[in-house]
Amino acid sequence: MAEADIAYVATAGAAGLALAVSAWALRLRARLNATTAAATHQRDAALTDLGRHDSMLRAFDDVSLALTATGEASGPPIGPGELIDRLSGSDAGAAGDMGVVVLARLKQTHAGQIEALVETGKGFEGLIDLNDVEPWRIEGRVAGGAAWLRLSPASRVMLTGADATESGLAMLGDASPIPTWVVDGAGKLAWANRIWLHEIGAETVVQAREMSLSFDRGADALVAEAGRLGLRQEGFRWTTGGGHRRAWRIIAEPAGGGAVIAFAIEVTEAEETRDTLRRHVDAHDETLNHLADAVAIFGPSKRLAFHNTAFQTLFDLDSAWLDERPTHAELLDRLRQRRRLPEVMDYAGWKARELDFYGAAQASPDDSWSLPDGRTLRVVRQPHPLGGILLIFSDITDELNLRSRFNAQIQVQTATLDKLNDAVAVFGSDGRLRLHNEAFEDFWNLTGERIAASNDFDAIAELCKATLPDPALWLGLKARVADPDPESRIAISGEGRTLDGRVAAWQTRPLPDGATLVAFSDVTARRGLEQALVQREQALAESQALKREFVGSVSYELRTPLTTIVGYSELLETMADLPERSRQHAGAIRVAASQLARSIDDVLDMAQIDAGEMELSLGDVSVSDLLGQAAERIRPKVEGRGAALTVLCEPGMKPIRADAHRIDQALNHLLENAARSVSEGGAVTLSAETGTSEVRLAVSDSGRGIPYHLQAHVFDRFVRRERGGPGVGLALVKALVELHGGWAEVESEPGKGAAFILHLPLSVSSAAAAPELPLEVPAPAAAEAVAS
């Protein structure tokens, strides 16, 4: 190719290349301009959006602070300047230093949470006290690969303080009737309603916070525990205020950010009611424990809920086993093993019927169990108000035995009354007839049907008036029956005459149960017999008087010739020319006449004693002198029979107060009797012995003695004796001793002699003794006599 062509082609190529490059450059510039315009638009939009977000952050009452990867402040805090100034406090400096100052204050209490936020991205929230008028809410979050801190006043978030007061929720809490308060994350009081402030005695929350007042230390501890754990806590506290003790239920509810809302619900009335109910239950249990009846309560689950001491004792069960609360079925099985249940053929069916009582709506009829050990139990089953069943067991064995004996006694009493001859009727305090015997019907000639138809006292009295028409009698009986006055219910008696001529004796007796017994008896024959006895007594008295007159007259008539006989016999004995045999006959006549005179005197003395007309002449009697005189009189007779007479008397024996003549008379009779019974070589002993309150005079002999069968009658009068005598001497001895207030006895063994013992008191206490003047002179009279 030519160089010109080559140059042309080169020039044309260069021109084309230039045109291509220019076209590419134009296109590239157009694209660059478009990109620049888009970037400018995006920048303007980003700036606009950034300004809008910054305005938005500053428009709300919170402050945000970005953190670097090392945990430092990434620029100043974002938010309203007033809040930033409150956060920075007195340390406020340049704007760039605001973030550092705020972060330093936050790290004082939340350094650990901020470090965990930066390193691990763990978010947190809570309340922080920055020595401001109110706590701040702090929140940590991770966004866009950066850590952020957000702070806001707690009142703006939790409606506490003044803002809360203005809100409807705060007004509702403030008007609540229960104490309510809010504690911040620092444990300080953030808000409280009016009733809480009233309870602690504060006007405002600020005053309560300044004075460090609290509702209760225990409640504060519960609130702190809820804030620490972040869990709801409940407790019970008693407080004292205003002179009253009140109970509170404390509820602490975490509210987020470490704050806790606490409620105090008063449960004083409920606690007092619970306490009263507990005391009533304890008193009820204690009362049941003191009952003699066995009580067992089973709950709705059929387990033993309560048993008293009597239940354990009645069935002899182990207390530890009962404390395990066995079921009703287990209890029945245990009782069956110990043979404490009735022995039945179908125990399974019987047990099922016992357990069926749990479904009953009303108490079942009382039942009775006859146990193998002979006891009988009354069983009461009734539904328990709280569910289950109440069982009461009563040991009625003694009651049944007592009832059986009572019925038997009633039957015996009725049969006894029916066998009485007296007409008996018993009226109750209401005047109604309780019982009567058959003699009552026969006495008034009434039938049982008429008496049953007329059951009260007035009707019975009307029926009886047909036989004994005495209005005063029936009026008096009614007063004794119907009048409850104790003075009226006294025992009275009387007599009346019926229309058919009978003499009716009546009497009333009040009975212990308020009833009155009225008895009537026919005493016609008794009164006739009494009248006959009176007449006979009068006749006997007249005969006694005649006897005394006869005895006195006969004795007088006998004494006169006896005196003549004794006198002439003594005269004959003194005659010198009288033959010896005739003189002996005259002596025998004199002795017999003297004995007859003495017998007449004894009979007269006995008659006088029987008539109660003998009177003792008391005096001081020397026992030794009395014995000596009696011994000297009888000694010739005793020694004349070849026997010995011995007198035994204690030396220095004191005198006794007695009738010396009568005691001497008694001794003479005993000595005469001993002289007649003693034989040659025998002995008669006269002795005296002093006791504590008596003197014992004894006359003993060694004669034949007295047979045993006659010893009981030896002192009887007019009894013929083998030992001789008139038959009245020993009887007179006994009578004379008894007049002195003493007594006589005989001791004898047949073949070995006899001893008669007279027991005489030291001082006579007999009505036969004449009253004596006192020998003691009163002290003043004795003094005057000495002075004169």
Side-chain angles (χ1 to χ4, degrees):
M1 180 177 292
E3 294 180 356
D5 294 332
I6 295 171
Y8 176 76
V9 172
T11 302
L17 179 61
L19 290 173
V21 170
S22 298
W24 179 81
L26 289 174
R27 292 182 61 184
L28 184 61
R29 180 179 294 277
R31 293 178 62 183
L32 180 61
N33 290 336
T35 302
T36 301
T40 302
H41 178 72
Q42 291 179 355
R43 185 196 64 181
D44 293 340
L47 291 175
T48 301
D49 188 56
L50 180 61
R52 185 171 62 254
H53 282 81
D54 185 67
S55 299
M56 180 187 68
L57 291 175
R58 297 179 184 277
F60 294 96
D61 293 333
D62 54 14
V63 176
S64 300
L65 180 64
L67 302 179
T68 64
T70 59
E72 302 296 331
S74 178
I78 304 173
E82 183 267 336
L83 295 181
I84 295 175
D85 292 340
R86 288 173 58 183
L87 285 173
S88 61
S90 60
D91 298 332
D97 298 332
M98 287 290 187
V100 177
V101 172
V102 172
L103 183 60
R105 297 189 67 183
L106 296 179
K107 284 185 176 181
Q108 294 178 1
T109 56
H110 290 71
Q113 290 90 334
I114 293 175
E115 184 178 353
L117 176 66
V118 173
E119 293 180 357
T120 63
K122 182 180 179 181
F124 70 92
E125 63 178 55
L127 291 180
I128 185 171
D129 187 6
L130 298 177
N131 297 325
D132 203 356
V133 294
E134 60 180 325
W136 288 73
R137 177 182 174 87
I138 180 173
E139 186 176 2
R141 295 287 186 272
V142 176
W148 289 85
L149 296 178
R150 181 185 178 190
L151 298 101
S152 58
S155 60
R156 312 296 172 84
V157 181
M158 299 178 60
L159 294 177
T160 63
D163 294 335
T165 305
E166 296 174 357
S167 67
L169 181 60
M171 294 177 62
L172 178 62
D174 197 49
S176 174
I178 63 175
T180 306
W181 69 101
V182 179
V183 177
D184 58 25
K188 294 187 176 181
L189 179 67
W191 175 86
N193 63 354
R194 287 180 297 176
I195 188 67
W196 187 90
L197 295 174
H198 175 72
E199 290 294 333
I200 67 171
E203 296 292 337
T204 62
V205 175
V206 176
Q207 180 184 1
R209 191 160 47 226
E210 291 176 352
M211 297 178 64
S212 299
L213 300 178
S214 66
F215 186 80
D216 179 72
R217 291 185 179 181
D220 293 343
L222 199 69
V223 172
E225 187 73 9
R228 185 179 66 84
L229 299 177
L231 299 174
R232 176 188 178 121
Q233 301 292 321
E234 294 188 11
F236 177 81
R237 298 291 299 171
W238 282 95
T239 62
T240 303
H244 300 284
R245 187 168 180 263
R246 292 185 291 175
W248 303 90
R249 181 187 175 200
I250 308 298
I251 301 175
E253 184 71 43
V260 178
I261 302 177
F263 306 92
I265 304 173
E266 184 176 3
V267 292
T268 306
E269 184 177 357
E271 286 300 316
E272 290 178 349
T273 303
R274 183 180 292 109
D275 185 62
T276 302
L277 179 60
R278 182 173 59 254
R279 289 197 302 268
H280 277 292
V281 171
D282 293 342
H284 178 264
D285 294 347
E286 186 68 19
T287 301
L288 292 180
N289 274 326
H290 284 82
L291 289 180
D293 293 340
V295 179
I297 300 177
F298 291 89
S301 62
K302 297 184 180 181
R303 285 193 171 273
L304 183 65
F306 171 82
H307 71 280
N308 63 352
T309 307
F311 180 81
Q312 175 187 348
T313 305
L314 179 65
F315 293 107
D316 191 20
L317 296 172
D318 185 15
S319 59
W321 183 77
L322 292 175
D323 293 339
E324 295 177 359
R325 299 181 60 190
T327 63
H328 197 168
E330 292 172 347
L331 176 65
L332 293 177
D333 293 339
R334 176 64 66 90
L335 294 178
R336 183 168 182 258
Q337 292 175 1
R338 301 174 63 89
R339 299 195 67 193
R340 296 292 190 273
L341 291 180
E343 294 184 343
V344 295
M345 296 294 295
D346 183 12
Y347 171 71
W350 182 88
K351 177 180 175 181
R353 288 191 296 272
E354 284 292 322
L355 299 179
D356 285 343
F357 286 107
Y358 283 90
Q362 296 180 351
S364 62
D366 294 354
D367 194 5
S368 61
W369 289 359
S370 297
L371 304 186
D373 58 3
R375 292 181 298 171
T376 301
L377 305 182
R378 180 174 59 240
V379 184
V380 179
R381 310 176 186 86
Q382 61 182 20
H384 196 271
L386 300 180
I389 189 173
L390 170 67
L391 299 179
I392 303 176
F393 301 89
S394 303
D395 189 351
I396 60 173
T397 306
D398 295 338
E399 179 183 347
L400 293 178
N401 294 335
L402 182 61
R403 184 179 301 174
S404 177
R405 291 197 299 268
F406 175 76
N407 292 333
Q409 290 180 356
I410 290 296
Q411 295 175 359
V412 171
Q413 178 185 13
T414 304
T416 303
L417 289 177
D418 287 339
K419 299 303 180 182
L420 292 178
N421 294 326
D422 293 346
V424 177
V426 177
F427 295 90
S429 58
D430 55 355
R432 301 183 68 83
L433 180 66
R434 290 188 178 180
L435 58 90
H436 66 282
N437 61 353
E438 296 177 355
F440 186 83
E441 300 176 5
D442 298 337
F443 186 88
W444 299 107
N445 195 20
L446 298 173
T447 61
E449 290 77 8
R450 294 187 63 186
I451 295 177
S454 305
N455 202 20
D456 59 342
F457 181 84
D458 292 333
I460 296 295
E462 289 298 326
L463 295 177
C464 296
K465 284 181 181 179
T467 303
L468 185 58
D470 187 351
L473 164 64
W474 298 108
L475 186 61
L477 292 180
K478 183 177 181 180
R480 301 301 179 271
V481 170
D483 193 348
D485 188 2
E487 295 183 357
S488 298
R489 299 189 71 253
I490 59 176
I492 61 173
S493 60
E495 291 185 0
R497 186 169 292 276
T498 62
L499 295 179
D500 53 5
R502 292 178 296 167
V503 178
W506 52 269
Q507 58 181 340
T508 65
R509 291 291 182 273
L511 300 181
D513 59 349
T516 304
L517 181 143
V518 181
F520 296 88
S521 58
D522 187 354
V523 295
T524 307
R526 185 187 307 171
R527 294 296 175 262
L529 180 60
E530 289 177 355
Q531 186 176 4
L533 290 176
V534 169
Q535 294 175 356
R536 183 173 180 179
E537 183 180 2
Q538 292 175 354
L540 181 60
E542 293 176 358
S543 65
Q544 290 288 347
L546 292 176
K547 182 182 72 172
R548 286 196 301 272
E549 293 178 2
F550 172 76
V551 171
S553 177
V554 170
S555 299
Y556 176 76
E557 296 295 333
L558 290 176
R559 276 177 178 273
T560 302
L562 284 176
T563 304
T564 304
I565 295 173
V566 171
Y568 280 111
S569 61
E570 291 178 351
L571 179 60
L572 289 175
E573 287 181 324
T574 59
M575 293 178 64
D577 55 349
L578 188 68
E580 185 61 28
R581 187 174 184 82
S582 298
R583 182 175 289 109
Q584 292 177 356
H585 290 167
I589 292 172
R590 177 181 56 79
V591 172
S594 299
Q595 291 178 352
L596 181 58
R598 288 185 56 188
S599 298
I600 292 173
D601 291 339
D602 291 344
V603 172
L604 289 176
D605 289 340
M606 284 299 300
Q608 191 175 11
I609 293 174
D610 291 340
E613 297 175 354
M614 178 173 286
E615 186 173 301
L616 300 178
S617 298
L618 299 179
D620 291 334
V621 179
S622 174
V623 178
S624 59
D625 294 343
L626 186 66
L627 296 184
Q629 295 172 5
E632 291 304 322
R633 283 195 303 269
I634 200 64
R635 188 179 300 276
K637 290 186 178 180
V638 174
E639 294 178 351
R641 297 181 66 89
L645 175 63
T646 304
V647 180
L648 301 176
C649 183
E650 297 178 359
M653 183 177 291
K654 295 181 180 181
I656 62 173
R657 197 72 177 165
D659 188 335
H661 171 68
R662 296 302 179 182
I663 299 300
D664 183 67
Q665 183 181 1
L667 288 177
N668 285 336
H669 278 291
L670 295 179
L671 290 172
E672 290 281 352
N673 189 58
R676 285 194 300 269
S677 61
V678 72
S679 58
E680 185 175 358
V684 176
T685 304
L686 177 60
S687 62
E689 182 181 4
T690 304
T692 56
S693 60
E694 65 177 7
V695 172
R696 291 181 291 275
L697 305 181
V699 177
S700 58
D701 62 75
S702 58
R704 294 173 298 173
I706 305 173
Y708 290 116
H709 68 281
L710 295 179
Q711 291 181 15
H713 307 283
V714 72
F715 290 107
D716 293 347
R717 65 185 67 181
F718 304 115
V719 175
R720 183 176 179 180
R721 300 176 178 87
E722 295 180 359
R723 302 175 66 175
V728 76
L730 293 180
L732 180 61
V733 170
K734 178 183 176 184
L736 291 175
V737 173
E738 290 177 349
L739 279 179
H740 283 77
W743 55 286
E745 65 172 333
V746 61
E747 295 179 356
S748 177
E749 184 176 351
K752 295 184 179 181
F756 290 87
I757 305 172
L758 307 181
H759 297 263
L760 294 173
L762 296 176
S763 180
V764 175
S765 59
S766 175
E772 299 183 89
L773 295 176
L775 298 179
E776 294 81 8
V777 180
E784 294 178 0
V786 173
S788 59

